[in-house]
Amino acid sequence: MGGYHNFSDQELLEELRLGNRLAFTALFNRYWKKLLAVSYNYTKDHSASEEIVQEVFIGLWNRRAVLEINILENYLATAVKFSVFKSIHQQKRRAELALLNYQTELVALDEEKIQAKFLQEYIDGIVEQLPEKCRLVFKYSRQHGLTIPEISKEMGIAEKTVEAHLSKALKTIRKDLNNSGILLIACAFLLK
């Protein structure tokens, strides 16, 4: 590893800002186990803890050029705690929504219908977070069944712009579904 294990955190961060993958690996190796312990302390789930720590390191790499970090260990621990709390909040919120929305319908719906309804509501939640024009294009396309030329005419924008917004929406939805582990189920709905 070229002696990076002897570098200070600040030296490794400087190398990381320059895109040095070996410096990133050194930071990963230095903090992986500590962060996994922090995450596991809250989640009590080894798999979820690993995912959370991996996401924190992916975020570190993706934002390496713009991050201003004084004490790396504190930054990483805080990022892991935030990610854990975000994950717990999302799980709790999903459980609350499921309880509120499906309590009376569970008896009547078979398992496939329940999964389809959950997936549709999950996708709707993602769509609502898209930028306004992107969201409108997606809704015109998927909910109203309009073609790209029809959407272009309706919104008064170029067909290429409609295509770009639709591509962005689909990419965002696929990424979010992939991150949540339900991409395989969603593929059938996104591609219909």
Side-chain angles (χ1 to χ4, degrees):
M1 196 155 67
Y4 284 107
H5 61 279
N6 293 326
F7 278 41
S8 71
D9 286 352
Q10 288 304 321
E11 290 170 322
L12 288 172
L13 280 172
E14 287 304 316
E15 289 294 316
L16 179 67
R17 283 187 188 97
L18 299 172
N20 186 327
R21 293 178 188 271
L22 293 176
F24 176 77
T25 302
L27 288 171
F28 181 87
N29 290 334
R30 184 174 292 177
Y31 287 107
W32 168 254
K33 288 182 183 177
K34 290 179 187 177
L35 296 176
L36 187 60
V38 170
S39 181
Y40 185 80
N41 187 43
Y42 292 100
T43 66
K44 305 299 186 215
D45 181 330
H46 188 72
S47 179
S49 296
E50 284 183 344
E51 285 183 37
I52 287 168
V53 173
Q54 287 174 354
E55 286 176 16
V56 167
F57 275 106
I58 289 169
L60 179 67
W61 176 259
N62 289 340
R63 294 187 307 273
R64 67 188 177 277
V66 296
L67 288 175
E68 293 294 327
I69 301 172
N70 294 326
I71 302 172
L72 180 64
E73 186 170 7
N74 292 350
Y75 171 84
L76 292 173
T78 302
V80 165
K81 288 176 190 174
F82 175 77
S83 294
V84 166
F85 294 135
K86 181 179 170 187
S87 175
I88 290 170
H89 175 72
Q90 287 173 339
Q91 289 174 355
K92 183 179 176 186
R93 184 70 180 134
R94 286 182 190 134
E96 288 171 356
L97 288 174
L99 185 61
L100 290 172
N101 292 329
Y102 303 126
Q103 204 165 27
T104 58
E105 298 172 337
L106 281 175
V107 177
L109 297 175
D110 64 355
E111 190 173 323
E112 283 183 20
K113 289 179 182 175
I114 292 169
Q115 290 175 349
K117 185 171 176 78
F118 172 78
L119 180 60
Q120 186 59 56
E121 288 184 8
Y122 189 83
I123 291 171
D124 290 345
I126 298 168
V127 169
E128 289 306 314
Q129 295 176 17
L130 293 171
E132 184 180 358
K133 284 191 179 183
C134 191
R135 181 176 62 243
L136 284 172
V137 167
F138 182 84
K139 285 183 175 184
Y140 279 139
S141 172
R142 295 303 193 257
Q143 293 174 357
H144 301 293
L146 298 181
T147 64
I148 289 174
E150 291 170 335
I151 297 169
S152 172
K153 183 178 178 183
E154 179 73 26
M155 293 182 67
I157 57 177
E159 289 183 23
K160 290 287 185 190
T161 305
V162 172
E163 290 173 4
H165 283 305
L166 191 54
S167 292
K168 179 180 180 179
L170 291 172
K171 183 178 178 182
T172 301
I173 291 168
R174 284 186 188 112
K175 182 179 177 185
D176 195 290
L177 291 173
N178 189 34
N179 289 342
S180 68
I182 56 176
L183 180 62
L184 294 176
I185 297 169
C187 284
F189 292 94
L190 287 174
L191 299 176
K192 71 176 187 178

